[in-house]
Amino acid sequence: MTNFVKTTVAAVALMAAPLVASASTFDFEDFASGDFVTDVTSSDGLVTASVSAIDRDPRRDPVFAVGAARAFDTEATGTADPDLEIDFIDDTTGLVDTSFRPGNVLIVQNPRSGDTLDDSGTGGSLSFDFTSGPVGFTGFTIVDDATITVTASLLGGGLFDVGTFDVAADRGFETFSFGEVSDVIGLTFDFGSASGAIDDLTFADIAAVPVPAALPLLLAGLGGLGLIARRRKAAS
């Protein structure tokens, strides 16, 4: 009986253990270069969002129109936008950083470039509506020179100004991290009237579901205890 008690205690302990936490990031690596991005899933599968874009063209009336969000492979060469091809400059040091290899980044498609992959030189915005539930937003990366204003839509209504973030260097990059913005159900990245790209949107750790293997272990232990109890009752 001692072995069954130990088994049951171990199973209960495992079931009651703290949930495994997993950092969530939108890195856009699930897409091929040039793909139109309308939905995205974090690298750990825990956060999902629908994606939309607005492009800005001062020669058009109205200036703003529904646009397209596209994945751009920074490892590619000979593209319509060499400013988004490696290598990039660390905006905080002004030095080329060959170790920064972001892979795919997300751009607002240039409305004047047709289907040719190119970011909008006259700006626009990218928006994310979280379909997996509210998130805690903790940071993102800007690639190429850009000034981006980030606004969060919050659970229960209301908007929160996350801030305006700037990369000055042409072909520059910088990763911005900040205290968690909680209960976010939507995010908008407004590029104003300039180009640029975003990458690696990060979210506060999300508790994963407890390990399913613990349940059979617990049931086996309880079953063993029941069998012993019946044998002891029969013997008495």
Side-chain angles (χ1 to χ4, degrees):
M1 181 173 179
T2 301
N3 289 336
F4 284 113
V5 171
K6 289 181 177 178
T7 300
T8 304
V9 170
V12 171
L14 183 56
M15 291 291 288
L19 301 182
V20 178
S22 176
S24 299
T25 304
F26 287 166
D27 59 17
F28 312 109
E29 295 306 308
D30 290 339
F31 300 95
S33 188
D35 279 355
F36 291 90
V37 178
T38 57
D39 296 280
V40 63
T41 300
S42 62
S43 51
D44 60 11
L46 297 178
V47 179
T48 59
S50 60
V51 183
S52 59
I54 298 292
D55 65 54
R56 181 181 187 276
D57 186 345
R59 296 173 295 183
R60 182 178 57 204
D61 184 20
V63 170
F64 293 97
V66 175
R70 299 184 77 178
F72 189 109
D73 182 7
T74 61
E75 302 279 345
T77 58
T79 70
D81 191 355
D83 286 352
L84 287 177
E85 299 176 16
I86 57 171
D87 294 315
F88 296 102
I89 298 170
D90 186 331
D91 199 56
T92 61
T93 65
L95 301 175
V96 172
D97 185 348
T98 57
S99 67
F100 178 70
R101 307 184 75 89
N104 286 344
V105 296
L106 193 66
I107 65 169
V108 178
Q109 171 64 25
N110 190 332
R112 296 166 302 285
S113 297
D115 193 49
T116 299
L117 183 61
D118 186 17
D119 67 339
S120 176
T122 52
S125 63
L126 292 166
S127 295
F128 299 80
D129 292 313
F130 295 97
T131 52
S132 54
V135 299
F137 180 48
T138 58
F140 73 109
T141 297
I142 294 177
V143 182
D144 200 14
D145 55 322
T147 298
I148 299 178
T149 298
V150 184
T151 304
S153 300
L154 304 179
L155 183 67
L159 300 176
F160 178 77
D161 180 10
V162 180
T164 298
F165 305 87
D166 176 75
V167 167
D170 190 27
R171 300 172 64 91
F173 75 91
E174 186 170 349
T175 296
F176 300 91
S177 300
F178 36 80
E180 177 184 344
V181 182
S182 302
D183 293 328
V184 175
I185 60 172
L187 286 171
T188 296
F189 296 80
D190 190 337
F191 293 79
S193 58
S195 61
I198 59 173
D199 192 26
D200 288 342
L201 281 63
T202 58
F203 309 100
D205 288 349
I206 295 177
V209 176
V211 182
L215 183 58
L217 185 61
L218 175 62
L219 294 177
L222 292 175
L225 287 175
L227 179 61
I228 287 179
R230 286 194 298 273
R231 287 177 176 175
R232 292 183 62 184
K233 183 177 180 180
S236 63

